[in-house]
């Protein structure tokens, strides 16, 4: 090891004490800063335009909008720098003849190769460490994911080390540094071309090319995924070129390399390939992201655990479809979570019989099959697949019927007021959504899953009130969502179960802390109940009315579900509300915490239980607000608990909150000055200081 350390010090000193360190390092950091600045400012522009994004668009994420593009750019910059570092490693000794003199001493060739490689790698590590100041600067303006940063730089170091080893091998083959640089660049272009061409060949060849693609492996690191197979792949590409270079250097060129030497190197290479294949199939994988973005949701794992028999998933993708790789990664995770889940990826053009048998007519679909029943999922989304599995597990899906006729919210309407997104969430949870039934057509409580009366505007007819009460008392499930300006006689129904919707509007000063209006109360904690036990996060209720309990009139068990914070109150002055200047008046307004959600359980015949869930707002589940916070999960869990009676449905939303980055003009200039001035300038100053000090000392 002393010999290796000596060679490493000598190589690192040769780099640091030459103009190469100043020129290459400064240009590298200047380009890195230029592109980093571009990524940040473009993300700032996207954040500024976020208000014009369509509803349901992918949230803005620092990791996806800045960090991953930055690491993609850094991998290309590393490839530009490495030929200059690798070309001189052995070419100079070959050209001057010092290599023969060097090996006249009892030095093993591999020690020399490993030492030179270590010295060049240390210099590359210094450049990467200096560049890490760029993404670290983001911590002053936002909260980048440390796991993505860690994975990105770990992958970048392995990526660079593998290409550095290839460049060292090129340097060992020739005495010309120019030829060595051209050979190294040829290796790099070939490696890039392998990953690029994987999208234009058949599925088998595409998977093979992806498995040997440096960029495909590196992409997982930059996404915050630590895969043992990927790490072994890069280590194999480090070890094999170094072994071959040691053979070449020790034999004074290719002419001296023996068949035995080549055979042993090939044998080692085959062992490394076998190790990588085994790690790809059975090796562990860690999700480094803070939000566990790449791990299966707990609800998905619970659904897979309920499989009582084999389930086959067949994905249909054409060759070259980039979605095939993403679908395969997701299906692989599902198969790893349950031994009963098996999958295959089929080209429908080459296997029309399979597509015809499964009734497929769409590319990019996934067909789930269990015990002769099939579900087709037209997305490679985890929630969609989990919902499909859940539908197969349900022998007879329970129905959720939205009542109509009194101005209620429409589950088919796609506007801001509609419930189309909430209805889609219910379908994903394995429930059948029906619409258009009048309140007088409640159906048989034993067959109906749940009825939803979402924000009625017009008064209910007395016959409708009687039918709804009878439906609950016979064991039916009913959810009533009321608004301050809703049906004037809704309390005629709720009062029969001991609940009153107060003629007030909730004002919550704490909502200002989250940038919301005073009339948008925020609920952060939920009472202990089967319907709310899985909820995490805050729910918002735009323009809500508080509920009051009348235990003496309940005729059943009443339990609260959630309340506002203690700062809220029920405002009765409509004029102040319209002017936007509500003020709490002691003795006139009701102080919080105020009840926003409650449930009444009523014993019925046949050991059945009728349930009435009341929420003091209906807009929280509308298309405009259902994706905010835990609103969607709250709605689905409440309705699912009523329809199925077995607690939360388990499919938790994996939607991540947007992370906008809005910079002032001064902050934007600071990003430019720091990334293109301070970072490369500080490196240039340090490199020049080291170089001048060494020259004065020598």
């Amino acid at each position: 090891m002393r010999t290796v350390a000596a060679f490493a010090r000598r190589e690192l000193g040769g780099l640091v004490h030459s103009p190469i360190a100043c020129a290459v390092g400064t240009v590298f950091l200047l380009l890195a800063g230029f592109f980093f600045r571009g990524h940040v400012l473009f993300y700032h522009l996207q954040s500024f335009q976020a208000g014009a994004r369509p509803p349901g668009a992918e949230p803005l994420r620092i990791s996806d909008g800045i960090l991953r593009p930055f690491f993609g750019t850094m991998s290309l910059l590393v490839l530009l720098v490495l030929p200059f570092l690798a070309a001189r490693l052995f070419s100079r000794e070959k050209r001057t003849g010092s290599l023969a003199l060097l090996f006249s001493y009892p030095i093993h060739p591999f020690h020399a190769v490993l030492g030179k490689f270590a010295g060049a790698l240390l210099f590359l590590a210094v450049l990467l460490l200096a560049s890490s100041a760029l993404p670290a600067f983001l911590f002053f303006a936002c909260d980048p994911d440390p796991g993505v940063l860690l994975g990105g730089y770990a992958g970048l170091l392995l990526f660079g080390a593998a290409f550095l080893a290839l460049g060292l091998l090129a340097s060992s083959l020739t005495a010309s540094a120019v030829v060595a640089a051209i050979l190294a660049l040829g290796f790099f272009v070939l490696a890039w071309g392998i990953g690029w061409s994987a999208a234009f060949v058949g599925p088998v060849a595409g998977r093979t090319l992806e498995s040997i693609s440096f960029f495909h492996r590196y992409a997982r690191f930059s996404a915050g995924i630590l895969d043992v197979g990927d790490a072994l792949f890069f280590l194999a590409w480090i070890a094999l070129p170094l072994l071959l270079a040691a053979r070449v250097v020790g034999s004074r060129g290719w002419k001296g390399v023996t068949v035995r030497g080549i055979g042993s190197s090939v044998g080692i290479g085959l062992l490394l390939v076998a190790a990588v294949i085994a790690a790809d199939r059975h090796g562990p994988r860690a999700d480094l992201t803070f939000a566990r973005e790449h791990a299966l949701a707990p609800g998905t794992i619970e659904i897979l655990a309920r499989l009582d028999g084999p389930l086959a998933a067949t994905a249909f993708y054409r060759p070259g479809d980039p979605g095939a790789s993403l679908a395969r990664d997701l299906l692989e995770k599902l198969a790893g979570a349950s031994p009963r889940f098996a999958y295959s990826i089929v080209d429908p053009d080459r296997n029309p019989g399979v597509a015809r048998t499964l009734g497929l007519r769409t590319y990019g679909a996934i067909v789930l099959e269990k015990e002769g029943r099939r579900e087709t999922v037209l997305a490679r989304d985890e929630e969609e697949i989990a919902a499909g599995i859940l539908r197969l597990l349900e022998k007879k899906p329970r129905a959720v019927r939205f009542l109509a006729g009194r101005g209620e919210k429409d589950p088919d309407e796609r506007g801001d007021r509609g419930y189309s997104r909430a209805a889609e969430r219910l379908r994903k949870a394995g429930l059948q959504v029906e619409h258009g039934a009048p309140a007088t057509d409640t159906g048989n409580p034993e067959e109906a899953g749940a009825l939803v009366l979402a924000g009625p505007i017009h008064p209910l007819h007395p016959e409708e009130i009687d039918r709804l009460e009878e439906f609950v008392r016979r064991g039916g499930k009913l959810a009533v969502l009321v608004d301050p300006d809703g049906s004037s006689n809704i309390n005629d129904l709720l009062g029969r179960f001991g609940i009153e919707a107060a003629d007030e509007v909730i004002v919550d000063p704490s909502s200002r802390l989250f940038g919301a209006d005073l009339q948008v109360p925020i609920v952060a904690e939920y009472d202990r109940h089967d319907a709310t036990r899985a909820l995490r996060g805050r729910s918002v209720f735009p323009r809500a009315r508080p509920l009051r309990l009348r235990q003496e009139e309940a005729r059943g068990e009443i339990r609260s579900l959630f309340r506002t914070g203690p700062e809220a109150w029920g405002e009765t002055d409509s004029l102040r509300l319209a002017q936007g200047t509500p003020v709490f008046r002691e003795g006139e307004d009701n102080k919080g915490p105020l009840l926003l959600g409650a449930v009444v359980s009523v014993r019925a015949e046949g050991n059945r239980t009728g349930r009435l869930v009341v929420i003091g707002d209906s807009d929280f589940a509308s298309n405009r607000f259902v994706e905010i916070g835990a609103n969607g999960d709250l709605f689905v869990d409440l309705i699912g608990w009523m329809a199925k009676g077995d607690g939360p449905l388990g499919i938790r939303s994996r939607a991540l909150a947007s992370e906008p980055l809005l910079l002032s003009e001064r902050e934007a200039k600071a990003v430019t000055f720091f990334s293109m001035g301070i970072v490369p300038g500080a490196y240039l100053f340090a490199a020049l200081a080291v170089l001048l000090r060494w020259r004065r000392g020598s």
Side-chain angles (χ1 to χ4, degrees):
M1 292 305 295
R2 290 183 178 179
T3 306
V4 173
F7 272 98
R9 284 195 300 269
R10 179 175 178 272
E11 191 61 39
L12 182 60
L15 285 169
V16 172
H17 300 148
S18 71
I20 292 179
C22 294
V24 172
T26 303
V27 172
F28 174 80
L29 292 174
L30 187 62
L31 290 174
F34 173 77
F35 286 109
F36 175 76
R37 169 189 173 274
H39 295 315
V40 172
L41 295 184
F42 181 69
Y43 188 82
H44 158 74
L45 180 62
Q46 288 182 309
S47 301
F48 185 76
Q49 298 173 341
R53 290 162 64 86
E58 288 294 322
L60 291 172
R61 303 283 296 164
I62 298 292
S63 299
D64 297 331
I66 298 179
L67 297 184
R68 293 184 68 177
F70 170 71
F71 283 123
T73 302
M74 288 292 291
S75 66
L76 297 178
L77 294 179
V78 166
L79 292 188
L80 292 177
V81 168
L82 287 180
F84 296 97
L85 299 181
R88 61 186 298 279
L89 291 176
F90 278 105
S91 298
R92 183 178 57 184
E93 280 84 354
K94 281 178 169 285
R95 186 176 65 255
T96 60
S98 61
L99 190 63
L101 178 63
L102 182 66
F103 286 118
S104 64
Y105 294 93
I107 297 174
H108 196 283
F110 185 72
H111 291 168
V113 168
L114 187 59
K116 282 182 166 290
F117 170 78
L121 183 61
L122 284 173
F123 181 72
L124 176 63
V126 169
L127 294 183
L128 295 181
L129 182 62
S131 72
S132 67
L134 297 171
F137 186 69
L138 291 174
F139 283 99
F140 291 99
C142 55
D143 295 313
D145 195 323
V148 175
L149 287 173
L150 178 62
Y153 271 104
L156 201 56
L157 186 61
L158 288 172
F159 178 87
F163 279 106
L164 183 62
L166 287 171
L168 185 146
L169 175 61
S171 177
S172 69
L173 298 176
T174 177
S176 172
V178 175
V179 174
I182 293 174
L183 281 175
L185 193 60
F187 285 150
F188 302 165
V189 172
L190 178 63
W192 174 81
I194 288 174
W196 175 78
S197 60
F200 300 96
V201 296
V204 177
R207 286 196 296 271
T208 303
L209 290 176
E210 284 181 354
S211 67
I212 61 175
S213 168
F214 285 74
F215 288 89
H216 181 76
R217 301 274 187 172
Y218 167 67
R220 282 198 280 262
F221 278 98
S222 63
I225 301 173
L226 181 58
D227 191 297
V228 172
D230 295 335
L232 281 179
F233 172 84
F234 285 115
L235 292 176
W237 274 105
I238 294 171
L240 190 58
L242 294 183
L243 290 172
L244 291 174
R247 296 285 184 187
V248 173
V249 171
S251 304
R252 310 297 191 269
W254 277 110
K255 294 181 179 180
V257 177
T258 64
V259 175
R260 181 179 178 183
I262 294 177
S264 62
S265 299
V266 171
I268 294 174
L270 291 176
L271 289 176
L272 292 173
V273 169
V276 172
I277 293 175
D280 281 339
R281 293 182 177 179
H282 308 291
R285 174 183 292 186
D287 184 358
L288 301 179
T289 59
F290 182 78
R292 305 283 294 171
E293 298 176 24
H294 306 292
L296 291 176
T300 303
I301 297 175
E302 292 177 11
I303 291 172
L304 290 171
R306 292 171 55 185
L307 288 175
D308 53 0
L311 185 147
T314 307
F316 292 88
Y317 285 92
R318 288 181 293 184
D321 190 335
S325 177
L326 298 175
R328 181 165 53 250
D329 287 344
L330 175 57
L331 293 172
E332 185 66 33
K333 286 191 289 187
L334 293 169
S338 173
R340 294 187 172 93
F341 185 95
Y343 77 94
S344 61
I345 297 180
V346 175
D347 179 2
D349 296 329
R350 297 183 180 181
N351 301 273
V354 178
R356 189 164 47 251
T357 301
L358 296 178
L360 181 80
R361 298 181 179 179
T362 307
Y363 293 107
I366 299 176
V367 178
L368 306 171
E369 190 171 16
K370 183 180 185 294
E371 298 176 354
R373 297 175 60 203
R374 295 181 188 139
E375 281 285 340
T376 301
V377 180
L378 300 178
R380 56 179 181 272
D381 180 77
E382 178 187 335
E383 285 189 52
E384 292 282 354
I385 296 177
I389 297 174
L390 192 59
R391 287 193 293 270
L392 289 176
L393 291 174
E394 293 288 338
K395 303 301 182 182
K396 183 180 179 182
R398 304 303 298 271
V400 175
R401 302 174 64 192
F402 283 81
L403 300 177
R406 292 291 179 261
E408 297 91 344
K409 299 294 194 297
D410 188 343
D412 296 328
E413 182 183 341
R414 298 188 177 276
D416 285 349
R417 188 177 183 274
Y419 263 38
S420 60
R421 292 185 190 171
E424 183 60 30
R425 281 175 169 260
L426 293 174
R427 294 187 185 97
K428 287 183 177 181
L431 296 169
Q432 180 180 333
V433 178
E434 301 176 356
H435 174 238
T440 53
D441 183 18
T442 57
N444 187 347
E446 296 183 3
E447 299 178 356
L451 301 182
V452 180
L453 185 64
I457 297 175
H458 308 299
L460 299 178
H461 193 276
E463 182 184 357
E464 294 174 324
I465 295 175
D466 293 339
R467 287 290 184 89
L468 291 175
E469 179 190 8
E470 180 187 7
F471 175 77
V472 174
R473 297 202 181 281
R474 289 174 56 198
K477 282 73 177 176
L478 172 65
V480 179
L481 284 59
V482 298
D483 295 311
D485 301 323
S487 174
S488 59
N489 67 341
I490 192 67
N491 281 325
D492 291 348
L493 170 63
L494 303 183
R496 300 184 184 188
F497 296 93
I499 298 179
E500 176 191 357
D503 190 16
E504 303 169 1
V505 176
I506 297 178
V507 175
D508 188 358
S510 66
S511 60
R512 286 284 178 88
L513 299 175
F514 303 95
D517 187 82
L518 284 173
Q519 298 183 44
V520 182
I522 296 176
V523 172
E525 297 181 359
Y526 308 89
D527 294 353
R528 297 185 64 179
H529 191 275
D530 285 343
T532 57
R533 59 182 169 85
L535 286 173
R536 300 292 184 272
R538 296 178 175 87
S539 301
V540 301
F541 299 85
R543 196 166 173 77
R545 62 194 295 185
L547 306 177
R548 296 197 181 104
L549 302 183
R550 310 291 189 190
Q551 295 285 357
E552 66 280 0
E553 303 174 14
R555 300 179 186 177
E557 179 189 3
I558 303 182
R559 293 185 58 180
S560 65
L561 295 175
F562 46 89
R563 302 172 182 268
T564 68
E567 301 86 1
W569 75 85
E571 180 63 60
T572 57
D573 192 332
S574 58
L575 180 59
R576 285 185 175 274
L577 286 172
Q579 295 174 344
T581 58
V583 177
F584 175 71
R585 293 162 297 177
E586 190 74 37
E588 295 185 34
D589 297 327
N590 292 310
K591 187 69 173 173
L594 301 175
L595 185 65
L596 253 176
V599 58
V600 182
S601 299
V602 180
R603 290 289 182 185
E605 296 180 359
N607 200 28
R608 293 175 54 81
T609 301
R611 296 189 179 111
L612 171 67
V613 170
V614 183
I615 300 176
D617 178 45
S618 68
D619 290 323
F620 84 99
S622 66
N623 292 336
R624 184 177 180 183
F625 297 99
V626 72
E627 304 293 346
I628 296 178
N631 282 24
D633 292 335
L634 172 63
F635 180 76
V636 172
D637 281 356
L638 288 174
I639 304 302
W641 171 75
M642 289 198 307
K644 297 186 176 184
D646 53 359
L649 298 182
I651 302 180
R652 313 309 308 157
S653 172
R654 296 303 298 270
L656 300 170
S658 284
E659 300 171 338
L661 178 62
L662 297 173
L663 303 174
S664 65
E665 183 179 357
R666 183 179 180 181
E667 291 170 332
K669 290 180 178 179
V671 171
T672 301
F673 181 66
F674 179 80
S675 57
M676 299 186 63
I678 292 180
V679 173
Y683 172 83
L684 178 61
F685 178 81
L688 286 174
V690 172
L691 178 61
L692 292 175
R693 182 178 180 183
W694 175 77
R695 287 190 173 181
R696 288 175 182 174
S698 60

